[in-house]
Structure formats: structure tokens, C-alpha cells
Amino acid sequence: MSTLLIPAQVAVGKGSVQNSSISLEFGNENRGMILPWVTNTGAVSGAVEIL
């Protein structure tokens, strides 16, 4: 099995991405993402490692 990496950029709340160095860019309004935080990887089930 081989890995196919396809780079992508996402703009949220705007028409296009202005900074080519980032993957996710938000508009001028208050926006964000809530990401899970874990301190023990053994406690996470079904995790997928992205290389």
C-alpha cells in the first residue's frame, strides 16, 4: 500500500486563501476550531496516524 499526499488549503468565511504557508485560514469574524486534547494516546480508540 502506498501513501498519496495531496496538499490542500481551506478558506472559512472568505473567498480565497491569502497566505500560501498555511492550510486553514479564517475570515475577519470571530471563528475557530475546537480540537480534542489527550495526554495518553493509549486512551484514544480508533486513532489514525497521519504521516
Side-chain angles (χ1 to χ4, degrees):
M1 177 183 287
S2 64
T3 302
L4 175 64
L5 299 176
I6 302 173
Q9 292 183 299
V10 177
V12 177
K14 57 191 312 184
S16 63
V17 177
Q18 303 298 317
N19 187 337
S20 62
S21 299
I22 62 171
S23 299
L24 181 61
E25 186 172 325
F26 295 98
N28 293 331
E29 298 146 8
N30 292 330
R31 297 177 190 259
M33 294 181 71
I34 299 173
L35 301 173
W37 180 269
V38 296
T39 56
N40 179 0
T41 57
V44 179
S45 62
V48 177
E49 182 178 359
I50 300 174
L51 302 175

